[in-house]
Amino acid sequence: MIKNIDFSKYLSLKIGTILPVEIIDGFEYNKDLRILGFGYNLLVSPKAEKLAILDDCFDYIRDIGEFIEVGASTRSSKLFRFFFENDLRGLEFLRSLPGSIGGLVKMNAGMKAYEMKDTLESVCIDGEWVNIKELNFSYRSTDIKGIIFAARFKKNSGFNHNLLEQFQILRKSHPSVPSCGSCFKNPKGDYAGRLIEAVGMKGYYINGVGFSDKHANFLVNIDKQRADFDSALEVIALAQKKVFDAFGIKLEKEVIIVE
């Protein structure tokens, strides 16, 4: 099934146009398709093709005994509530981290020292279950190829309520305007936000899209009428150039760009 999606509303950054997207409702699909999550930390070109999202049949949470199995189209807030209500630990940070479980697993998302891989046991990729030891999970990245349909998490009891305040404090530093979250990964031993601010890019915008004056590493949209895909690419490239020229550090993008 094909559905037209307005990405200026679908993406968290609120930049985009109307594009056809295929809805995947089973393990059989066109391998050329590019799967999208819920549009967090994502930029989609107005010329992008062969886009797809998962059907709602992949929105579920099941207790299967030793593990909790979760469909890739399940929202992070839904899984957070499940772990909270069932006194399970390991995913407390999901309270402050929006997105689909598939997307968060794909990028090994997390906050500070806490990551998806710490609680994950295996991932269903193209219909086959693969243990995470075979997928090379590392800081904000994995070796996952193909489409994630589900994930299984360890059932460790003892929800850590003390972490909620810590994550809530971090969340308060995030801008309230449309944003795709962290634009760059933190380089080893440093912070992307510090580097962006040091080169004068904090609060810098091109046609309304740029780096927040509240959190320098957050790519935000403060002018929905003017902000566009090309302007976003331009401001990202400019920040990379300025940081490299000043510090010799090549910032690696955390935002996913679909062209």
Side-chain angles (χ1 to χ4, degrees):
M1 180 177 71
I2 301 295
K3 179 180 180 180
N4 288 326
I5 290 181
D6 184 349
F7 282 93
S8 70
K9 298 177 180 179
Y10 186 80
L11 299 182
S12 62
L13 191 58
K14 307 304 179 189
I15 290 177
T17 188
I18 298 174
L19 295 171
V21 177
E22 184 163 337
I23 310 301
I24 298 176
D25 59 4
F27 296 148
E28 297 297 324
Y29 67 94
N30 180 348
K31 302 300 182 182
D32 292 331
L33 291 174
R34 292 181 287 181
I35 190 73
L36 309 174
F38 290 157
Y40 293 94
N41 212 27
L42 191 69
L43 271 170
V44 178
S45 166
K47 298 179 181 179
E49 298 178 334
K50 299 179 179 178
L51 306 177
I53 60 175
L54 293 180
D55 184 79
D56 289 343
C57 66
F58 295 103
D59 176 4
Y60 66 85
I61 301 176
R62 297 174 186 151
D63 186 332
I64 59 171
E66 189 177 356
F67 306 108
I68 301 298
E69 183 175 314
V70 186
S73 194
T74 305
R75 292 188 178 277
S76 58
S77 57
K78 184 176 180 178
L79 184 56
F80 167 81
R81 287 195 302 273
F82 183 91
F83 266 56
F84 176 83
E85 292 169 358
N86 290 277
D87 193 32
L88 298 174
R89 62 179 170 86
L91 295 177
E92 290 86 352
F93 61 87
L94 289 185
R95 181 182 183 182
S96 303
L97 204 61
S100 68
I101 295 306
L104 295 173
V105 168
K106 170 73 174 179
M107 66 182 295
N108 188 29
M111 295 185 73
K112 297 300 182 182
Y114 304 91
E115 301 175 300
M116 298 296 286
K117 71 176 179 64
D118 299 330
T119 308
L120 265 177
E121 187 274 338
S122 57
V123 183
C124 181
I125 305 168
D126 292 341
E128 300 290 334
W129 286 98
V130 183
N131 190 281
I132 66 164
K133 295 177 182 178
E134 302 176 40
L135 297 172
N136 192 28
F137 275 70
S138 57
Y139 172 67
R140 301 297 181 268
S141 67
T142 69
D143 279 349
I144 294 177
K145 310 297 181 185
I147 292 181
I148 296 173
F149 286 97
R152 287 174 179 165
F153 296 88
K154 302 167 188 173
K155 288 173 64 176
N156 297 318
S157 61
F159 185 92
N160 191 339
H161 293 267
N162 293 328
L163 288 176
L164 294 186
E165 183 177 357
Q166 176 183 339
F167 293 137
Q168 191 62 24
I169 291 173
L170 290 172
R171 188 68 177 172
K172 286 181 179 179
S173 69
H174 296 176
S176 57
V177 295
S179 162
C180 69
S182 296
C183 185
F184 300 109
K185 300 177 184 180
N186 287 326
K188 188 174 182 179
D190 211 331
Y191 295 97
R194 186 197 75 81
L195 296 169
I196 292 168
E197 184 171 0
V199 297
M201 291 289 288
K202 184 177 183 179
Y204 184 92
Y205 305 95
I206 296 177
N207 292 329
V209 59
F211 298 98
S212 171
D213 56 8
K214 188 174 182 180
H215 189 306
N217 192 29
F218 269 61
L219 189 69
V220 299
N221 176 0
I222 62 171
D223 189 338
K224 295 180 184 178
Q225 300 301 315
R226 293 194 303 150
D228 58 18
F229 179 78
D230 290 336
S231 298
L233 293 190
E234 185 178 350
V235 78
I236 289 171
L238 181 60
Q240 288 178 307
K241 182 180 185 305
K242 284 181 172 290
V243 168
F244 185 79
D245 289 347
F247 300 103
I249 296 173
K250 184 176 181 179
L251 289 177
E252 184 179 353
K253 291 188 290 293
E254 186 167 329
V255 59
I256 298 171
I257 300 174
V258 180
E259 297 189 84

